[in-house]
């Protein structure tokens, strides 16, 4: 009896499901009504204005002979602000220090995060989940909360005013989120490709370097750019650990435009900020064009 009635019940449910109109829940992320669509567009416009207004001020103030905090078109367009900041001790040396700090931190972070993420992604270990939870907790820990003991440790190790020591600390602080991101990107690489490499006699390190890492180039680019931008714009750590002006990066040198008694050189500050942002934009374009896209794994596994 049971076997005779089941197809009828199932068919009735299928027919009733076909007749019932599909109800879609409206939300700000997928608005279906006019009111929600207007609210969503209004919020997007407000957020866009909040991002665009500081950029407009940077451009107008850098070209203005007498800039202020207000956004206005310059009465006289001049490049004197750019000429005033184009000095070796004011711009070029701090930019080079920023390249050393951000580049060294990004390279070390990518290498160490790749080595740490590979066993977490490929092997089942008892300490795997607790370690990932510890890594996730490490991403939530603010740097300002640990700078006092870090400063004391750097004094004892004689690493104060050392670019290498600062790169070491920036790498350690960037590793938790880098390991988490790298592990998720590595999970997307089919393990069957590694099995084929192992059948050909390749070891784990050779498989990681020649098979896995080339296939996850977009993920590596994301981790590299994310780490580079974080280190490039970091003000607090170099300000505490680097005391000599010859070692300070551009993120700290930009503080020189804030003079005493509230006086600020707005024009030079805007010009310096524009030049300071150009290397990051150039790196983003270079990495985006040089590395593969999401189709790097297309056709890697049959079936």
């Amino acid at each position: 009896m049971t076997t005779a009635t089941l197809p009828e019940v199932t068919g009735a449910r299928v027919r009733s499901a076909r007749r019932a109109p599909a109800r879609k829940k409206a939300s700000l992320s997928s608005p279906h009504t006019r009111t929600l669509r207007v609210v969503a567009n209004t919020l997007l416009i407000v957020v866009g204005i909040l991002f665009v207004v500081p950029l407009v001020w940077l451009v107008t103030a850098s070209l203005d002979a007498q800039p202020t905090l207000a956004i206005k078109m310059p009465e006289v367009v001049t490049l004197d602000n750019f000429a005033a900041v184009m000095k070796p001790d004011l711009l070029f040396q701090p930019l080079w220090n920023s390249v050393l700090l951000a580049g060294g931190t990004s390279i070390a972070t990518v290498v160490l995060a790749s080595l740490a993420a590979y066993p977490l992604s490929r092997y089942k270990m008892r300490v795997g989940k607790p370690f990932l939870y510890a890594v996730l907790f490490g991403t939530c820990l603010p740097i300002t909360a640990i700078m006092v003991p870090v400063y004391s440790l750097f004094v004892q190790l004689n690493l104060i005013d050392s670019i290498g020591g600062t790169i070491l600390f920036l790498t350690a602080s960037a590793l938790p989120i880098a390991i988490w991101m790298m592990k998720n990107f590595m999970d997307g690489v089919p393990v069957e490709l590694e099995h084929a490499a192992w059948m050909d006699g390749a070891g784990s390190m050779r498989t990681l370097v020649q098979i896995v890492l080339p296939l996850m180039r977009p993920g590596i680019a994301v981790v590299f750019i994310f780490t580079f931008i974080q280190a490039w714009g970091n003000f607090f750590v170099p300000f505490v650990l680097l005391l000599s002006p010859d070692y300070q990066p551009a993120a700290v040198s930009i503080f020189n435009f804030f003079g005493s008694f509230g006086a600020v050189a707005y024009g030079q500050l805007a010009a310096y900020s524009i030049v300071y942002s150009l290397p990051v934009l150039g790196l983003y374009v270079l990495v985006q064009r040089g590395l593969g896209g999401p189709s790097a794994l297309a056709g890697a596994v049959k079936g």
Side-chain angles (χ1 to χ4, degrees), residues 268-294:
Q268 298 180 16
L269 175 63
Y272 192 92
S273 301
I274 291 177
V275 179
Y276 174 58
S277 305
L278 292 180
V280 178
L281 297 177
L283 175 67
Y284 178 78
V285 175
L286 181 66
V287 173
Q288 187 183 31
R289 292 186 176 183
L291 296 181

Side-chain angles (χ1 to χ4, degrees), residues 34-247:
R34 184 175 181 179
T35 304
L36 285 178
R37 192 178 299 115
V38 170
V39 172
N41 292 336
T42 304
L43 290 177
L44 290 176
I45 291 174
V46 171
V47 172
I49 291 175
L50 292 177
F51 276 95
V52 169
V53 167
L55 299 179
V56 173
W57 180 86
L58 277 180
V59 176
T60 56
S62 64
L63 301 175
D64 195 348
Q66 296 179 346
T68 60
L69 272 179
I71 298 178
K72 61 182 181 65
M73 295 301 296
E75 298 178 358
V76 179
V77 177
T78 178
L79 296 177
D80 291 343
N81 294 322
F82 289 93
V85 300
M86 292 290 182
K87 298 178 180 177
D89 57 337
L90 186 60
L91 180 65
F92 299 120
Q93 185 62 39
L95 280 181
W96 175 245
N97 294 334
S98 296
V99 171
L100 291 179
L101 285 176
T105 301
S106 303
I107 294 174
T109 301
V110 167
V111 173
L112 296 177
S114 301
L115 295 176
Y118 185 66
L120 293 173
S121 175
R122 291 298 186 262
Y123 300 104
K124 293 183 179 179
M125 300 176 291
R126 291 183 179 179
V127 297
K129 283 188 176 180
F131 181 77
L132 285 176
Y133 289 143
V135 168
L136 187 61
F137 173 76
T139 60
C140 305
L141 194 62
I143 293 180
T144 53
I146 59 175
M147 278 311 295
V148 173
V150 167
Y151 182 83
S152 176
L153 179 65
F154 269 53
V155 170
Q156 295 179 4
L157 298 177
N158 197 21
L159 290 177
I160 289 293
D161 211 15
S162 169
I163 290 183
T166 307
I167 291 176
L168 180 64
F169 177 71
L170 289 175
T171 302
S173 61
L175 269 179
I177 186 64
I179 292 174
W180 189 270
M181 295 170 64
M182 196 72 77
K183 190 259 180 187
N184 289 330
F185 285 122
M186 201 169 287
D187 288 342
V189 179
V191 72
E192 289 81 3
L193 299 175
E194 298 175 57
H195 293 167
W198 293 342
M199 292 294 291
D200 293 336
S204 299
M205 184 58 69
R206 186 178 178 184
T207 303
L208 173 65
V209 174
Q210 296 186 357
I211 303 297
V212 178
L213 293 182
L215 290 175
M216 52 180 296
R217 287 179 300 174
I220 294 175
V222 170
V223 176
F224 185 88
I225 292 179
F226 180 80
T227 307
F228 190 92
I229 292 176
Q230 294 295 321
W232 185 267
N234 197 315
F235 169 82
F236 187 65
V237 173
F239 182 74
V240 173
L241 300 181
L242 296 175
L243 306 179
S244 174
D246 295 336
Y247 295 152

